[in-house]
Amino acid sequence: MRGALLHAVGDDKLDIRDDFTLAPVGPTDVRVRIKATGVCHSDLSVLSGVLPMPLPVIPGHEGAGEVVEVGDHVTSVQPGDHVIINWTPACGDCPNCVAGQPHLCMTFVMKSFTDARFRYGGDTPAFGMAGCGTWAEEIVVPWQGAIKVDPDVPYEAAALIGCGITTGVGAVLNTAKVRPGSTVAVVGCGGVGLSVIQGARVSGATTILAIDPLESKHELAKKVGATHAITPDQLMDAMATLTGGQGFDYGFEVVGKSAAIMTAWQATRRGGDVVIVGAGAMDDTVPLTAFNLLFEGKNILSSLYGGSDVRRDFPFFAGLYKAGKLDLESMISARIKLSDLNDAVTALKNGEVLRQIVIMD
């Protein structure tokens, strides 16, 4: 079986090899043949060490495929089903699951740091990113990590729903609960940022400002729903023009940097919601004062995986796509092969592309 392996943080190249094998399918596991998987900024964060993972690791978490084998106790899917990979499976029993926050479940996340599902070079263990490792032709996940989806949804679109769409649209619908007629500012126009923009459009926001230093991203932001697009240095003028200087009802940070969080804070009106969506580094602190936190009355909301219950939201987002409410095709920069992953990673690092989708042969 083929896959792409990261041996150590900071390696210049992924080790693309064809000698991977999988651990046996347990009674509550599902084996999935990956058909499409995204090249996401979170994958870059694994390569750089911003998101710590056990090593060696097969990156990839945004994927979709076909079920080829299920454990004896699995009833949710069967061989032949089309599924989207859920990189935060919910156990259903922990305090977060019981409290109705399955996206915060850590049960399987913690297991992924000790459970090496891959082998290579004979019997050398390797881990999968977030317990997945979709940059391999097949993976084994707990049944909660494989969510059935309508087979009419193309694998490429289904893969995007597995992370970028759920993270971005979910942040709007689930975390912020953006109201119709609201004003929204979105800092960062990558794949997740464009998903936030689309979620704001679906929610009925009347003003959606896209903020990104790369003007090359502005046209696409407008295509998928932004009413205006600017660079960060133009923010004060845009606030004056679009909100009378008051600021936006919602400010979404979709970069994973403290500077971007402060831009979202600045863009948000007093009493508005600042929504943190980007995955940042543990040592990147946000310079907010106690005075600001109290007297500006702004609400800071964390949105991990869009605050989603994927059993509900994956099919819902797939339905929005089928109804023409979500433009996923425009978000795909290129369709590539597994053997092209090193070039794809370089292109993403350089900001040359938006979302590349690996199509497995």
Side-chain angles (χ1 to χ4, degrees), residues 89-342:
C91 71
D93 298 321
C94 71
N96 285 315
C97 285
V98 172
Q101 297 174 307
H103 61 285
L104 297 180
C105 179
M106 292 294 290
T107 301
F108 291 107
V109 172
M110 297 307 296
K111 286 183 178 179
S112 71
F113 278 79
T114 58
D115 187 8
R117 297 266 182 155
F118 298 93
R119 296 289 185 275
Y120 70 99
D123 198 37
T124 304
F127 297 87
M129 175 183 172
C132 303
T134 57
W135 290 3
E137 291 180 313
E138 293 188 4
I139 64 173
V140 173
V141 293
W143 65 266
Q144 299 96 326
I147 308 299
K148 187 175 179 179
V149 67
D150 188 332
D152 288 340
V153 177
Y155 285 118
E156 300 99 302
L160 288 178
I161 291 171
C163 182
I165 290 295
T166 295
T167 300
V169 179
V172 176
L173 303 185
N174 299 324
T175 307
K177 298 180 176 62
V178 168
R179 296 180 300 276
S182 299
T183 58
V184 173
V186 182
V187 183
C189 296
V192 178
L194 294 180
S195 299
V196 171
I197 290 169
Q198 296 209 52
R201 171 176 50 77
V202 168
S203 293
T206 53
T207 301
I208 305 171
L209 176 66
I211 306 171
D212 198 287
L214 296 178
E215 294 185 4
S216 58
K217 294 183 177 181
H218 293 179
E219 182 179 352
L220 182 54
K222 290 180 178 179
K223 180 180 180 181
V224 300
T227 58
H228 306 79
I230 62 168
T231 55
D233 61 292
Q234 299 170 319
L235 176 58
M236 298 309 295
D237 288 341
M239 287 174 59
T241 301
L242 301 176
T243 71
Q246 296 302 304
F248 295 81
D249 297 319
Y250 304 90
F252 289 85
E253 184 280 331
V254 204
V255 179
K257 299 285 187 180
S258 59
I261 292 174
M262 291 307 298
T263 300
W265 177 276
Q266 183 182 24
T268 304
R269 65 169 174 82
R270 291 190 71 193
D273 292 343
V274 181
V275 188
I276 312 304
V277 184
M282 288 186 286
D283 60 351
D284 188 9
T285 58
V286 181
L288 286 170
T289 69
F291 182 91
N292 292 142
L293 289 172
L294 178 62
F295 287 99
E296 294 193 36
K298 301 179 185 182
N299 307 300
I300 299 179
L301 305 176
S302 167
S303 187
L304 178 64
Y305 211 3
S308 291
D309 182 341
V310 299
R311 297 167 298 178
R312 173 198 68 206
D313 290 343
F314 280 0
F316 176 64
F317 296 147
L320 288 177
Y321 164 73
K322 290 183 64 180
K325 303 297 184 182
L326 292 177
D327 180 0
L328 305 191
E329 185 63 32
S330 293
M331 295 176 60
I332 300 175
S333 302
R335 290 166 171 82
I336 63 172
K337 297 180 179 180
L338 182 66
S339 56
D340 298 326
L341 263 172
N342 278 310

Side-chain angles (χ1 to χ4, degrees), residues 10-34:
D11 281 356
D12 291 335
K13 296 287 185 180
L14 293 161
D15 182 10
I16 299 175
R17 47 197 306 143
D18 61 4
D19 62 346
F20 289 104
T21 58
L22 281 170
V25 174
T28 59
D29 291 335
V30 176
R31 181 163 62 95
V32 179
R33 180 173 296 118
I34 298 298

Side-chain angles (χ1 to χ4, degrees), residues 1-2 8 10 24 35 41 46 61 75 79 86 92-93 175 241 243 258 275 303 310 318 332 345 352:
M1 181 180 72
R2 293 185 303 152
K35 296 291 190 176
H41 274 279
V46 171
H61 63 290
T75 59
N86 167 25
D93 298 321
T175 307
T241 301
T243 71
S258 59
V275 188
S303 187
V310 299
I332 300 175
V345 167
E352 299 169 1

